[in-house]
Amino acid sequence: MTALESLSHWRLERDADGLAWLIFDRAGSAVNALSADTMAELATVLDALDAQPPKGLVIRSGKSSGFIVGADVNEFAELTTPEQGRALVARGWNLFNRLAAVRYPTLALIQGHCLGGGLELALACRYRLVEDAPGASLALPEVMLGIFPGWGGMLRLAEVIGAPAALDMMLTGRGADARRAAALGLVDARVPPRLLLAAARATVLSGKPPRRARGLGAWLNRWPLKTVAANRARKQIAAKDPQVHYPAAPAIVEIWEKHGGNALQAPQLIDGIIASDTARNLLRVFRLQERLKANGRQAGAAPVRHVHVVGAGVMGGDIAAWCALKGMTVTLQDQDLARIAPAIKRAATLFSRRLKDPRAARAAFDRLVPDPAGGGVPLADLVIEAISEQPEAKRGLYQTLEPRMKADALLATNTSSLSLETLRVGLAHPERLVGIHFFNPVAKMPLVEVVHADGIADATLARACAFVGQIGKLALPVKSAPGFLVNAVLAPYMLQAMRSVDEGLSPATVDAAMVAFGMPMGPLELADTVGLDIARAAGQELAGGAEPPRCLAERLARGDLGKKSGRGFYEWRDGKPVKDKAGGPPAPAGLAERLIQPLIDATRERVDSGVVADADLADAGVIFGTGFAPFTGGPLHYQSSRST
């Protein structure tokens, strides 16, 4: 058996024209990830091609799931010494440098996801083509795991698309779809699926020079302008993360500016990043996210093709728009067209922003059908109720919906506070009522709580979770209880912040303490965003009827409801809070810890009472449902790490 015949993950084929086709199909995995053994086999392939060089080499995926999702994250988790970290970086750096230096032309044929180490491999090829289809995503998301793209990405991405665009991609982790990748010059072309193989053959044999950045983007790769670009990036990083909770971002800038993208020349940075708590905690968050994604993959669950939403307010309208964006037929019901119109207008804005192709945006718009008479009910696979939080009104609506629904359709409520036990009274089939609780804004918040009560059919819960996965959200099963998980932990956190205002601290001081802690916004800005009336209702239900904080009661008495009324704890202008930087006493020592403790305690209570299955899922829910500082690993993980 030859070395090539013994390969488990790669398959090399040569055609009559002397072109070599290398197919990556990692054994025993649904996706292609770069691990020690797959990379060792790639080195074996390059040995064989050195001995018998082809006219050209095309690298493509043998999996429908995409090109390469990146490096095997499990190998990062197993690193225990600085030497192991440096060896891992050297493995990819040296291998991809070797690929970049081969004598024959090379091409990466990209379909679907091309992430992290996968994009670094593609950048080491002379040419890149991307399939012009939904789902294509090219990114270097390592910073989101608290690490850096150490296998040549920091060098080659800037060479190909210029320093500003490259730094933006590396420091945010944001991806580019096929259209944007072509516009950036990251790929040579985007190609329709039917023409991929022919285009790959023609491109790899074309003899064209490889793509390189031009103009200012190219000049910013060179000294002294390189220093200008690096300093600008540092200022942006400092503005977003003044406490340096995320050290990978400044490390990326330093390695790019001072070491030519070669992390091996800065071993102290490798050691510091890989050994950091931030990297380990962000890897934990990544695994928690994968666990939530797995909840959305329910084998045998019938897909939802038609959704009927009742209630065209902010939540109902935006749920409907999101489902249409994700390819479903959606009928949106309310009392009349005038109530539905604002939701349709918001949907049009969402479609045009998310779907750059006007034809795709138009198709999504056509899938969203105003339906004041409720004609979509008998056709829907899923009916979602999103009306006001009044049990009698919801139960009355169910009485009219249930007889008209298909026998196998799901009935769901988007309630944020009411128990399913209360709502299902009077239903002929109470076992098929499920909570599917979205968060505002629907388009931005990744988590959806799937609420179940005793007696719910297993198939109902599974299909509801599968629907959440189908629309690209993270499904968290929770038991029916006041506030479920997310609202139950947010309420005491916001109330504690309000009591601090009662004690004389300014709202801006309170919020600044929590932003410095690592939260995406402070608790009082969050309360304004949610609505102070809603915050009061949640607080009353979860606080056993205790008196609300004085500062909250005063604002509600004046009709100051937060963002939606233009004034709450802050004055709101153009959708943003106006914050006074001065005024009031300074923040006392330990303020952030005092504010966050009620949230941690409430999270623990939700686990102990069985609302959420375990502590890891609770951490996942609070991170993705509230934005709780990801670098901590979640509230319960944060508390346990402080006590050890």
Side-chain angles (χ1 to χ4, degrees):
M1 179 182 293
T2 67
L4 290 180
E5 290 173 336
S6 66
L7 299 180
S8 300
H9 309 292
W10 301 86
R11 188 171 68 255
L12 184 66
E13 301 171 352
R14 295 179 186 257
D15 63 23
D17 297 327
L19 192 63
W21 299 79
L22 181 59
I23 297 95
F24 185 22
D25 192 358
R26 189 184 185 193
S29 175
V31 297
N32 282 333
L34 293 166
S35 57
D37 56 340
T38 63
M39 295 175 78
E41 287 193 1
L42 178 56
T44 298
V45 172
L46 294 180
D47 289 340
L49 294 175
D50 282 346
Q52 291 183 288
K55 288 186 177 179
L57 172 67
V58 176
I59 303 176
R60 65 184 185 91
S61 171
K63 296 187 183 296
S64 60
S65 55
F67 184 64
I68 302 174
V69 297
D72 187 337
V73 295
N74 293 318
E75 295 188 351
F76 289 107
E78 294 165 0
L79 298 176
T80 57
T81 67
E83 292 76 17
Q84 290 174 335
R86 296 176 200 174
L88 187 147
V89 173
R91 177 205 304 161
W93 174 263
N94 294 332
L95 180 62
F96 292 168
N97 278 349
R98 182 181 175 190
L99 174 62
V102 297
R103 293 172 287 168
Y104 44 86
T106 55
L107 181 144
L109 186 56
I110 299 166
Q111 296 173 271
H113 292 303
C114 178
L115 309 176
L119 182 54
E120 291 182 290
L121 184 151
L123 286 165
C125 294
R126 184 178 300 181
Y127 308 111
R128 287 161 298 282
L129 295 180
V130 63
E131 181 182 31
D132 191 8
S137 177
L138 288 74
L140 291 177
E142 284 86 350
V143 72
M144 300 172 73
L145 292 177
I147 56 178
F148 48 73
W151 292 350
M154 290 184 284
L155 166 67
R156 296 189 179 95
L157 185 62
E159 290 179 341
V160 171
I161 66 173
L167 287 170
D168 179 69
M169 286 187 69
M170 291 189 293
L171 296 177
T172 64
R174 282 195 294 261
D177 61 12
R179 178 183 291 267
R180 177 159 171 75
L184 285 171
L186 182 52
V187 296
D188 294 84
R190 53 191 178 103
V191 182
R194 68 184 186 281
L195 301 178
L196 272 180
L197 298 183
R201 177 186 300 275
T203 302
V204 78
L205 298 176
S206 67
K208 297 188 301 184
R211 296 185 74 97
R212 288 291 180 265
R214 298 179 179 179
L216 181 60
W219 283 104
L220 287 169
N221 284 324
R222 306 173 186 175
W223 187 88
L225 293 182
K226 192 173 193 179
T227 299
V228 174
N231 287 338
R232 181 183 179 190
R234 289 189 181 97
K235 289 180 181 178
Q236 293 172 335
I237 293 168
K240 292 181 179 179
D241 182 25
Q243 306 297 323
V244 198
H245 292 307
Y246 300 92
I252 287 171
V253 176
E254 182 171 345
I255 294 169
W256 170 76
E257 179 197 12
K258 298 180 180 178
H259 304 288
N262 183 0
L264 297 173
Q265 294 182 5
Q268 74 283 359
L269 289 178
I270 298 177
D271 300 349
I273 292 295
I274 290 180
S276 69
D277 289 339
T278 294
R280 297 188 181 281
N281 287 339
L282 291 179
L283 178 59
R284 166 182 164 79
V285 172
F286 173 79
R287 287 174 154 172
L288 293 177
Q289 183 180 38
E290 291 302 300
R291 187 175 173 191
L292 293 179
K293 286 181 179 178
N295 289 337
R297 296 189 291 267
Q298 298 286 334
V304 171
R305 295 185 173 86
H306 185 143
V307 178
H308 183 81
V309 180
V310 184
V314 171
M315 288 304 297
D318 290 358
I319 292 168
W322 186 260
C323 292
L325 178 79
K326 291 299 180 178
M328 298 172 184
T329 298
V330 183
T331 40
L332 178 57
Q333 180 180 350
D334 211 311
Q335 295 177 7
D336 51 50
L337 285 174
R339 292 176 182 266
I340 299 173
I344 299 298
K345 184 177 179 180
R346 291 196 311 276
T349 301
L350 173 70
F351 300 152
S352 63
R353 188 174 69 246
R354 292 290 184 118
L355 301 170
K356 305 302 183 184
D357 185 343
R359 293 169 299 177
R362 182 70 227 183
F365 194 79
D366 290 343
R367 289 191 293 268
L368 180 57
V369 182
D371 184 19
V377 174
L379 306 174
D381 304 306
L382 168 65
V383 176
I384 301 176
E385 167 269 305
I387 65 172
S388 61
E389 293 286 85
Q390 299 176 9
E392 298 80 7
K394 290 180 184 289
R395 287 196 296 263
L397 175 63
Y398 300 160
Q399 295 300 314
T400 66
L401 291 174
E402 190 180 27
R404 301 179 60 215
M405 292 170 55
K406 293 193 299 185
D408 61 345
L410 295 184
L411 176 60
T413 174
N414 184 54
T415 182
S416 61
S417 60
L418 301 175
S419 73
L420 296 191
E421 291 86 349
T422 298
L423 296 180
R424 69 187 182 185
V425 171
L427 283 174
H429 296 284
E431 72 280 359
R432 72 173 177 180
L433 178 67
V434 64
I436 301 181
H437 178 220
F438 290 80
F439 296 92
N440 190 27
V442 172
K444 292 184 178 179
M445 297 299 292
L447 189 79
V448 174
E449 291 177 318
V450 180
V451 189
H452 56 95
D454 290 342
I456 190 174
D458 291 342
T460 297
L461 180 60
R463 198 173 180 199
C465 287
F467 161 73
V468 172
Q470 193 179 341
I471 60 172
K473 299 291 186 181
L474 302 174
L476 176 68
V478 293
K479 285 187 177 180
S480 177
F484 314 133
L485 172 67
V486 173
N487 286 346
V489 306
L490 277 179
Y493 167 59
M494 290 190 289
L495 291 174
Q496 182 70 16
M498 294 174 192
R499 293 188 184 101
S500 297
V501 174
D502 283 350
E503 294 166 4
L505 293 179
S506 72
T509 298
V510 172
D511 280 353
M514 294 317 302
V515 171
F517 174 83
M519 302 295 271
M521 69 172 63
L524 299 174
E525 182 180 344
L526 177 63
D528 266 5
T529 302
V530 170
L532 299 189
D533 51 342
I534 295 173
R536 177 184 59 184
Q540 284 177 333
E541 184 167 1
L542 294 165
E547 285 295 314
R550 185 177 66 256
C551 62
L552 175 62
E554 290 171 351
R555 284 167 172 80
L556 290 171
R558 295 195 299 264
D560 294 341
L561 305 182
K563 183 177 180 179
K564 59 188 173 185
S565 70
R567 184 180 293 275
F569 284 98
Y570 301 101
E571 181 181 351
W572 288 77
R573 296 177 191 163
D574 300 323
K576 296 182 179 180
V578 179
K579 299 184 179 181
D580 296 327
K581 295 183 179 180
L591 176 61
E593 299 294 338
R594 181 161 65 89
L595 292 173
I596 208 67
Q597 194 59 49
L599 183 152
I600 296 173
D601 293 342
T603 305
R604 170 56 61 190
E605 188 278 329
R606 295 280 116 169
V607 176
D608 292 344
S609 62
V611 171
V612 64
D614 56 55
D616 282 351
L617 280 178
D619 275 346
V622 177
I623 290 169
F624 293 106
T626 74
F628 189 93
F631 74 91
T632 66
L636 298 182
H637 182 77
Y638 171 70
Q639 185 175 52
S640 65
S641 65
R642 284 191 302 162
S643 61
T644 56

